[in-house]
Amino acid sequence: MSRIHPNAEASRRRLLLRDGGAAPSADSAAASAAAKCYTVWMRSSMGFQGTDGFSVYDAGGALAFRVDNYSRRRKIFAGELTLMDGHGAPLLSLRPQIISMHDQWNCYKVPEEGQTKRARSQQLFSMRKCSVLQGNREAEVYMTSACSTTATPTTTTSPASDPVPPPGHQAPSFWIEGCFRRRSCKIRRVPDGQEVAKIARKKAGPGKAPLTLGDDVFSLVVQPDVDCAVIMALVVVLDRICWRPYTPLICSS
């Protein structure tokens, strides 16, 4: 079976360079200005039977993001999801809006250690499913003025400083167009329509005859200077609002 993530040798070289403390080169500076490519596997990194989640690998094959062990129950019972980095440190909290006609979810920044409890209510964005009358659009995203999708977003610690206005009173910040179930989506910024991220089917094997993998594995490309954690949070919510029956994989030895 082909690997679902890039080769491990590149990841090993990357780790050695990082541990060796080598000074950043012109090549590394150029890489930081290039689009970032991820492989998203819709399976918990925990690997136990009955678990659900995401394992996201970067171009070097290293685990970049995780969502572990949540259940696909109805929204009213779902609780919150936590997006973590590859080491398991919590980054963002995703919570369903219980009373919503459009499967709305809200994203909050996880407070850092030592912060006050008030920081737990700091909302970063709201996302909801689009109406079928809106054509090719899957979802719309409303960012707070305290957050952006840039790689270094500026945020405040006050939960009431920049609340998200109710949809209908504010133009969306981003559209998600295409079909997530077919793993063919683009995240575009409003109003200029610039593409900030793209979801596509994952291909593996020789270049002349690549094998298209199942829909539980797909590619995510994030453009330069875009916050990858926020984009991954959008993907997690997109998976929830474009719901379909799911059978967790059985852990294999």
Side-chain angles (χ1 to χ4, degrees), residues 131-148:
S131 166
V132 293
L133 300 179
Q134 292 177 275
N136 194 36
R137 293 170 179 168
E138 284 272 44
E140 52 194 13
V141 183
Y142 299 83
M143 308 296 294
T144 66
S145 59
C147 176
S148 69

Side-chain angles (χ1 to χ4, degrees), residues 145-246:
S145 59
C147 176
S148 69
T149 56
T150 56
T152 54
T154 56
T155 55
T156 62
T157 56
S158 172
S161 57
D162 294 285
V164 177
H169 296 76
Q170 173 195 14
S173 306
F174 296 91
W175 292 112
I176 301 177
E177 64 180 26
C179 181
F180 180 74
R181 290 185 179 181
R182 296 178 182 175
R183 305 298 182 252
S184 178
C185 285
K186 293 181 180 179
I187 303 176
R188 295 189 181 276
R189 186 174 63 192
V190 177
D192 60 5
Q194 181 179 348
E195 180 182 316
V196 298
K198 181 180 180 179
I199 296 169
R201 298 292 297 269
K202 179 73 175 180
K203 297 181 182 293
K208 293 184 178 180
L211 175 67
T212 301
L213 302 183
D215 58 8
D216 60 331
V217 181
F218 56 91
S219 297
L220 173 65
V221 179
V222 182
Q223 295 303 313
D225 300 321
V226 176
D227 190 330
C228 297
V230 171
I231 295 299
M232 189 58 217
L234 298 182
V235 173
V236 174
V237 174
L238 194 60
D239 173 61
R240 301 299 283 192
I241 64 179
C242 298
W243 183 89
R244 66 178 180 178
Y246 175 82

Side-chain angles (χ1 to χ4, degrees), residues 92-95 105-109 122-126 233:
L92 300 173
S93 175
L94 306 170
R95 306 171 192 169
W105 284 69
N106 303 316
C107 176
Y108 301 86
K109 182 181 177 182
Q122 181 191 353
Q123 187 172 348
L124 301 183
F125 68 79
S126 176

Side-chain angles (χ1 to χ4, degrees), residues 66 82-85 87-93 108-112:
R66 298 163 44 186
T82 301
L83 176 67
M84 299 174 283
D85 65 15
H87 301 288
L91 301 174
L92 300 173
S93 175
Y108 301 86
K109 182 181 177 182
V110 175
E112 298 177 4

